[in-house]
């Protein structure tokens, strides 16, 4: 028998995700609970759990279905009637009309659960990219689902300790969110793009309903025009909201494209409220001139985040408590405070550029994949021209890059035969890395997970992008984004992960991703005349960067020293205090740079105090 007491305990831990309303539902073995953040239809008609008119179906739903207006029109034509103006009722009706296949019609971010009494089961799903979280834990007599790990831990039913595989992967290799395991034993995520069924007799199964690898749509005749038009429409439906919408602006191509489109759409709609752009700038990574150009074009009001390194550092324990799991870098703290800033200005929805880099090849590491692809297919002259153009803009030796690509292309036919050898080499390198990381107790290396087989050699651009979206780094960034936003009862929306835009992008050849010196070539061409030229034509990339390494030698020297030494004393099962002190002194003296290791040790110490 399910218990509302359990659900109540779980809900109390996530009030931040939904401070506007709450509700529970109990039916035999099924208990549902929901905390509501009111974004669409602020009236009581949007209350959850929401029941179908005949009482046969009950839904709890976190996220947004951006195409709910279009789906509602289709469903009304099929005889469905609605009393609310939001997307939850539309999603419930879509399930009643199309069953499990309803998820294939959704364009949005979601994690939902539907109690289907007629079929004596619970059906649920998570969006294609995992923008919204859904965790699961199975005990002897219970299966729990929750938006955050802390809810399962607070249930009173969870029995489990630290997942040492996740701890080892993080400390040795800085791996986060690369699998569906969590840092807590037995708590796993429903994979992105998956649905599940739990029968009332306890049988459970899950399946994938969408595959990036299966996208083989025909490219449009006019890729630039098609991308520009679809991006504008993606922005239009992502702005559907009954509460104020703002934008996080870094001065880069992605957020600038979003802000400029937001301003155009608002102008067409006759909006008269101010458009707010939330910004953070480290003086060492100053993007102010690009931001100023964008503000002049859009008329948006900049709301700057002003924080000292000490203030950021002091917030680390609070952010880790929100995240439930460690971060990748101090830049993760910036997003937390930007979302707080947005909420303090009355903004409940923030548009952000996450996903654009992984979708459109925004990182510098993607260029060699394009060059390899050209060389492997025999386009050697074109490969040389693109490498030369890239080297002229970014520095470095074109001839050395070209020679390396030619070698990789020549060895490409042997890669399949050498798969087993690559796997053994990857494992050996991982173990050697564990030995070199001697500030971590050697016993933890025994828990290192098997290294990802993947393709240890070079790969074409398409599989590289798929790996970035499915495995690393996008899942980590999406987790950090969601928790940072929801900690302040703010909804983060990511227009570049509109499913139609993703499908269009994967229909295009790699030349539309990287082209000579340019990354995100299709976006740059589509935004010609739509964003400031200074931003469209810039080749460097910063994002919300921080000067962590320099801060550790300066403004944060004393607090870092204190926490590193405390970590060595408090957690001898994880850290070698002497070796940790050596790393600290090498960094402080400038003899070496150990920013990543020191931040990992410091935050893992704080995290263990909360979760260990």
């Amino acid at each position: 028998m399910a218990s509302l007491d359990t659900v109540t305990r779980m809900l109390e831990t996530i009030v931040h995700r939904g401070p506007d309303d709450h509700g529970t539902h109990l039916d035999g073995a099924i208990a549902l609970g929901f905390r509501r953040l009111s974004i669409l239809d602020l009236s009581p008609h949007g209350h959850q759990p929401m029941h179908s008119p005949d009482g046969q179906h009950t839904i709890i739903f976190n996220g947004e279905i951006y195409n709910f207006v279009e789906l509602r029109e289709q469903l009304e034509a099929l005889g469905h009637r609605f009393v609310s103006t939001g997307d939850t009722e539309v999603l419930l009706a879509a399930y009643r009309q199309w069953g499990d296949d309803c998820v294939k019609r959704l364009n949005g971010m979601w994690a939902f659960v539907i109690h289907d009494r007629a079929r004596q089961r619970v059906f649920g799903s998570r969006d294609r990219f995992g923008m919204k979280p859904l965790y699961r834990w199975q005990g002897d007599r219970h299966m729990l689902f929750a938006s955050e790990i802390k809810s399962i831990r607070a249930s009173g039913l969870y029995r489990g300790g630290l997942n040492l595989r996740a701890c080892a992967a993080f400390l040795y290799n800085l791996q986060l969110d690369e699998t569906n395991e969590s840092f807590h034993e037995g708590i796993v995520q429903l994979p992105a793009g998956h649905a599940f069924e739990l029968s009332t007799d306890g049988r459970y199964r899950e399946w994938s309903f969408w595959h990036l690898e299966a996208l083989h749509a025909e490219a449009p005749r006019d890729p630039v025009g098609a991308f520009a038009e679809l991006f504008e429409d993606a922005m239009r439906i992502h702005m559907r909201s009954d509460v104020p919408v703002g934008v996080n602006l870094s001065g880069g191509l992605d957020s600038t494209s979003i802000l400029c489109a937001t301003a155009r759409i608002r102008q067409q709609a006759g909006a008269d409220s101010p458009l707010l752009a939330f910004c953070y700038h480290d003086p060492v990574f100053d993007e102010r001139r690009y931001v100023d150009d964008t503000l002049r074009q859009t008329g948006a009001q900049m709301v700057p985040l002003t924080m000292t390194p000490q203030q950021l550092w002091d917030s680390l324990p609070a952010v880790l408590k929100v995240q439930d799991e460690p971060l990748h870098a101090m830049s993760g703290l910036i997003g937390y405070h930007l979302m707080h800033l947005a909420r303090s200005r009355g903004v409940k929805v923030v548009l952000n550029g996450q996903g654009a880099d992984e979708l459109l090849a925004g990182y510098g590491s993607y260029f060699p994949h394009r060059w390899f692809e050209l060389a492997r297919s025999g386009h050697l002259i074109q490969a040389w021209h693109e490498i030369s153009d890239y080297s002229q803009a970014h520095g470095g030796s074109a001839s050395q890059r070209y020679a390396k690509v030619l070698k990789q292309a020549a060895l490409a036919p042997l890669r399949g035969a050498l798969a087993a050898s690559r796997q053994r080499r990857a494992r050996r390198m991982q173990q050697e890395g564990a030995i070199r990381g001697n500030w971590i107790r050697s016993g933890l290396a025994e828990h290192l997970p098997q290294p990802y087989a993947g393709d240890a050699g070079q790969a074409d651009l398409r599989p590289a992008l798929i790996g970035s979206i499915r495995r690393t780094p996008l899942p980590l960034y999406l987790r950090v984004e969601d928790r940072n936003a929801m900690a302040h009862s703010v909804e983060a929306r990511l227009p570049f992960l509109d499913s139609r835009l993703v499908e269009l992008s994967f229909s295009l050849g790699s030349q539309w991703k990287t082209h000579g010196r340019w990354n995100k070539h299709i976006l740059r061409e589509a935004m010609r005349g739509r964003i400031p030229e200074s931003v469209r034509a810039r080749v460097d990339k910063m994002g919300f960067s921080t000067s962590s390494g320099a801060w550790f030698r300066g403004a944060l020297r004393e607090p870092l020293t204190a926490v590193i030494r405390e970590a060595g004393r408090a957690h001898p099962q994880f850290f070698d205090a002497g070796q940790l002190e050596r790393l600290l002194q090498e960094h402080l003296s400038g003899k070496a740079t150990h920013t990543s290791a020191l931040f990992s040790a410091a935050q893992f110490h704080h995290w263990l105090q909360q979760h260990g």
Side-chain angles (χ1 to χ4, degrees):
M1 196 73 173
S3 167
L4 283 183
D5 289 339
T6 298
V7 171
T8 300
R9 285 193 295 270
M10 296 175 73
L11 288 180
E12 287 173 349
T13 67
I14 55 169
V15 173
H16 53 278
R17 295 190 73 92
D20 300 327
D21 189 16
H22 68 279
T24 58
H25 163 76
L26 178 63
D27 187 341
I30 308 298
L32 305 178
F34 189 74
R35 298 287 328 189
R36 184 185 180 201
L37 179 63
S38 301
I39 301 294
L40 294 170
D41 191 347
L42 310 185
S43 77
H45 290 306
H47 176 79
Q48 296 187 47
M50 181 179 288
H51 308 284
S52 60
D54 62 3
Q56 289 299 300
H57 301 91
T58 300
I59 186 172
I60 52 175
F61 158 50
N62 173 34
E64 299 290 347
I65 306 302
Y66 299 119
N67 64 333
F68 78 97
V69 174
E70 293 76 13
L71 288 174
R72 178 180 176 131
E73 292 173 352
Q74 295 176 35
L75 290 163
E76 285 178 330
L78 293 169
H80 293 265
R81 296 295 176 260
F82 299 89
V83 297
S84 73
T85 60
D87 55 347
T88 303
E89 190 179 11
V90 173
L91 174 54
L92 183 57
Y95 172 77
R96 285 164 62 83
Q97 180 66 40
W98 297 303
D100 297 0
D101 285 342
C102 70
V103 294
K104 298 178 181 179
R105 298 172 180 260
L106 307 180
N107 183 3
M109 57 179 183
W110 69 82
F112 69 80
V113 170
I114 296 174
H115 179 201
D116 186 334
R117 294 170 190 78
R119 299 177 63 179
Q120 297 186 9
R121 69 167 189 165
V122 170
F123 172 76
S125 174
R126 192 172 178 215
D127 66 74
R128 294 170 178 84
F129 307 102
M131 288 178 274
K132 284 297 174 184
L134 187 59
Y135 291 91
R136 175 176 62 87
W137 175 76
Q138 184 171 1
D140 293 335
R141 299 176 57 246
H142 300 86
M143 185 174 291
L144 304 179
F145 295 87
S147 293
E148 295 187 11
I149 292 170
K150 59 177 64 69
S151 282
I152 294 177
R153 283 169 50 85
S155 66
L157 301 175
Y158 174 68
R159 300 291 181 268
L162 298 183
N163 179 358
L164 293 180
R165 288 187 303 277
C167 295
F170 167 65
L171 290 174
Y172 283 120
N173 300 324
L174 201 60
Q175 291 177 356
L176 292 166
D177 299 83
E178 294 193 20
T179 72
N180 294 311
E181 291 188 44
S182 76
F183 274 67
H184 298 273
E185 189 177 19
I187 300 179
V188 299
Q189 293 196 72
L190 179 71
H194 277 60
F196 74 87
E197 175 186 64
L198 174 62
S199 302
T200 52
D201 62 5
R203 289 174 297 161
Y204 177 83
R205 69 183 183 98
E206 62 185 43
W207 64 93
S208 173
F209 64 85
W210 191 78
H211 303 272
L212 272 169
E213 295 83 353
L215 296 182
H216 295 292
E218 184 177 347
R221 293 184 179 181
D222 176 16
V224 173
F227 190 95
E229 180 180 353
L230 190 51
F231 178 74
E232 203 79 4
D233 193 62
M235 284 297 308
R236 179 182 62 82
I237 66 173
H238 275 70
M239 290 173 62
R240 288 172 168 167
S241 172
D242 293 332
V243 296
V245 177
V247 178
N248 279 350
L249 179 65
S250 71
L253 183 63
D254 311 328
S255 61
T256 298
S257 299
I258 288 173
L259 184 64
C260 290
T262 302
R264 287 192 300 271
I265 294 167
R266 282 168 49 90
Q267 184 179 29
Q268 293 165 5
D272 54 6
S273 59
L275 172 58
L276 302 183
F278 304 98
C279 306
Y280 170 81
H281 298 295
D282 183 329
V284 177
F285 302 97
D286 189 14
E287 297 185 285
R288 184 57 190 265
R289 73 181 185 94
Y290 302 112
V291 168
D292 288 344
D293 288 347
T294 303
L295 296 176
R296 278 191 293 270
Q297 177 169 317
T298 60
Q301 295 180 14
M302 183 180 73
V303 184
L305 174 65
T306 304
M307 296 193 74
T308 66
Q310 183 70 57
Q311 289 172 321
L312 283 173
W313 181 260
D314 289 345
S315 70
L316 178 58
V319 177
L320 289 172
K321 186 175 181 179
V322 163
Q323 291 286 335
D324 281 326
E325 298 183 295
L327 300 165
H328 55 298
M330 280 192 70
S331 58
L333 304 176
I334 301 299
Y336 175 85
H337 291 287
L338 281 172
M339 294 302 181
H340 177 266
L341 181 63
R343 190 58 197 258
S344 72
R345 296 297 295 267
V347 172
K348 290 179 73 172
V349 173
V350 172
L351 300 171
N352 217 339
Q354 291 285 15
D357 287 321
E358 295 78 12
L359 176 64
L360 302 174
Y363 302 124
S365 59
Y366 291 127
F367 285 93
H369 292 282
R370 162 70 174 162
W371 304 334
F372 169 80
E373 184 178 318
L374 287 171
R376 182 188 55 77
S377 59
H379 297 91
L380 301 181
I381 295 177
Q382 186 177 354
W384 168 250
H385 285 314
E386 294 214 8
I387 291 172
S388 298
D389 189 30
Y390 174 89
S391 300
Q392 183 179 3
H394 297 273
S397 170
S399 58
Q400 289 181 6
R401 289 188 174 108
Y402 187 59
K404 182 177 181 179
V405 167
L406 290 181
K407 180 180 178 181
Q408 290 169 336
L411 294 174
L414 300 175
R415 287 185 298 155
L418 296 175
S421 175
R422 289 201 312 272
Q423 181 71 13
R424 289 193 298 270
R425 185 170 67 251
R427 182 65 177 176
R428 185 174 67 252
M429 291 174 64
Q430 178 170 270
Q431 294 289 354
E432 291 172 354
I435 294 171
R436 288 194 300 272
N438 54 11
W439 56 278
I440 309 166
R441 288 297 184 189
S442 58
L444 193 59
E446 299 173 4
H447 298 279
L448 278 168
Q450 190 72 10
Y452 176 67
D455 190 330
Q458 189 56 274
D460 291 353
L461 185 56
R462 181 185 175 96
L465 294 176
I466 290 175
S468 295
I469 292 171
R470 282 294 185 223
R471 183 170 175 267
T472 183
L474 187 59
L476 164 64
Y477 294 162
L478 294 179
R479 185 255 293 181
V480 173
E481 180 91 359
D482 173 81
R483 305 310 185 278
N484 279 345
M486 296 300 282
H488 305 291
S489 307
V490 172
E491 183 174 88
R493 296 185 177 182
L494 313 176
F496 281 102
L497 292 180
D498 183 293
S499 58
R500 302 165 301 162
L501 202 61
V502 172
E503 290 173 4
L504 170 61
S505 299
F506 270 87
S507 76
L508 304 177
S510 60
Q511 73 274 16
W512 289 107
K513 311 296 182 7
T514 71
H515 186 77
R517 69 185 61 191
W518 306 112
N519 61 4
K520 303 177 187 173
H521 182 50
I522 184 67
L523 179 60
R524 293 179 187 276
E525 291 302 305
M527 293 300 107
R528 191 181 293 274
R530 296 171 181 256
I531 66 174
E533 186 63 16
S534 61
V535 179
R536 197 192 71 83
R538 65 180 295 199
V539 297
D540 60 323
K541 177 178 176 58
M542 295 181 188
F544 294 118
S545 302
T546 65
S547 304
S548 305
W551 291 348
F552 286 174
R553 295 187 180 103
L556 299 181
R557 183 186 186 98
E558 291 185 7
L560 174 71
T561 299
V563 74
I564 289 297
R565 289 174 177 169
E566 184 180 352
R569 292 192 300 268
H571 310 295
Q573 73 275 35
F574 289 106
F575 301 131
D576 183 311
Q579 293 298 334
L580 204 51
E581 178 70 20
R582 175 184 59 80
L583 255 65
L584 174 65
Q585 295 306 322
E586 287 182 355
H587 186 91
L588 296 181
S589 68
K591 181 179 178 181
T593 297
H594 299 301
T595 306
S596 180
L598 292 171
F599 183 66
S600 294
Q603 65 162 324
F604 196 65
H605 164 66
H606 286 304
W607 183 84
L608 283 170
Q609 288 183 314
Q610 297 172 358
H611 300 275

